[in-house]
Amino acid sequence: MQTILVANPKGGSGKTTVATNVAGFLAGKRQRVVLADEDPQQSSTQWLARRPALFPAVKPMPPERRELRELDPHYVVIDSPAGLHGERLRDEVRRADVMLVPITPSVFDMAATARFLAQIAEYKAVKEGGLAIAVVANRVDARTHSAAELDAFLQGAPFPLVAHLRDTQVYVHCARDGASVFDLPRSRAEADWEQWRPLTRWLAKQARAAG
Ligand SMILES: Nc1ncnc2c1ncn2[C@@H]1O[C@H](COP(=O)(O)OP(=O)(O)O)[C@@H](O)[C@H]1O
Ligand SMILES: [Mg+2]
């Protein structure tokens, strides 16, 4: 079982968008996927509730440890709340195999994310190579100045930047419909599949490395 933690202390950076789309992608690859919604706002729980029964199944995190064992998932995807910090963050990081940090191109986000990444890099679990961490640039408009600034900023980050996701209503519609871009027809989502490819490849590589 691989635990994928999606975290960034900043609200609105794309945690739920990344977590639900990662879950949808893995489910589409016939993996058993559990989505753990740790945010009191319960956005991914609502997404799960709206997910059409005909789409590849994503299960909610059951309340009991024993039930999780029975589900025997290949992946647990954790959608974490804004403001996650301190001991709770350290615990989540320690329990994860993989961590994805979505970040949007705004100077405020970048400053907060820089502090967050520097803090994570100091964790024992991270220093000892216990988990793989990657940054996902979200809501990027390649034409804007801030996209270039984000790229420059991430050049110096301690973790790789594995994908650029564009700013598109496709994600808003997916959130509304309990879908991931991988559940959509090629005609609507091909550009987005393309953008996700380096990220899904990176995830597959981490899974292989874990055996
Ligand atoms: N790439 C994107 N393009 C367009 N809208 C997006 C994108 N990513 C996120 N959003 C929208 O921005 C809002 C915040 O994203 P969300 O994933 O909920 O962030 P978080 O979980 O970090 O608070 C949501 O309404 C979501 O649908
Ligand atoms: Mg959220």
Side-chain angles (χ1 to χ4, degrees):
M1 186 183 93
Q2 280 245 298
T3 300
I4 302 176
L5 172 65
V6 184
N8 178 324
K10 192 89 168 50
S13 55
K15 292 179 286 297
T16 300
T17 301
V18 168
T20 52
N21 277 280
V22 165
F25 169 77
L26 294 168
K29 293 288 176 196
R30 300 171 180 277
Q31 302 294 295
R32 287 188 299 277
V33 183
V34 164
L35 181 56
D37 188 356
E38 299 193 346
D39 187 350
Q41 287 188 6
Q42 297 283 285
S43 314
S44 49
T45 300
Q46 289 156 21
W47 177 86
L48 270 179
R50 290 191 293 266
R51 188 163 175 79
L54 285 172
F55 284 4
V58 176
K59 298 266 168 64
M61 186 65 153
E64 303 269 352
R65 221 39 230 174
R66 177 183 52 78
E67 294 170 87
L68 179 63
R69 271 201 302 278
E70 280 164 13
L71 287 176
D72 190 25
H74 298 106
Y75 289 93
V76 172
V77 181
I78 301 177
D79 182 13
S80 67
L84 186 61
H85 71 283
E87 273 313 301
R88 171 123 189 256
L89 172 63
R90 192 188 295 272
D91 272 353
E92 294 275 8
V93 170
R94 197 185 297 132
R95 280 165 34 206
D97 300 296
V98 171
M99 179 171 171
L100 295 173
V101 182
I103 160 171
T104 50
S106 103
V107 275
F108 304 115
D109 276 21
M110 282 189 253
T113 303
R115 281 194 298 276
F116 180 68
L117 294 177
Q119 181 189 0
I120 298 285
E122 289 305 311
Y123 285 175
K124 190 154 164 269
V126 177
K127 278 187 163 166
E128 291 177 352
L131 78 161
I133 302 178
V135 178
V136 180
N138 185 34
R139 309 193 75 152
V140 181
D141 180 343
R143 290 160 303 189
T144 64
H145 187 55
S146 54
E149 277 176 4
L150 180 63
D151 278 337
F153 160 72
L154 290 170
Q155 293 276 312
F159 308 113
L161 170 62
V162 289
H164 286 86
L165 307 179
R166 64 183 179 142
D167 192 332
T168 168
Q169 288 299 301
V170 171
Y171 289 109
V172 178
H173 295 154
C174 280
R176 180 195 64 197
D177 298 338
S180 70
V181 292
F182 305 100
D183 300 305
L184 301 180
R186 174 177 293 276
S187 57
R188 267 192 74 202
E190 192 169 17
D192 301 297
W193 296 351
E194 206 62 53
Q195 292 199 314
W196 272 82
R197 196 157 297 132
L199 170 48
T200 55
R201 283 213 183 110
W202 184 84
L203 285 174
K205 193 171 125 199
Q206 306 316 319
R208 279 198 304 278

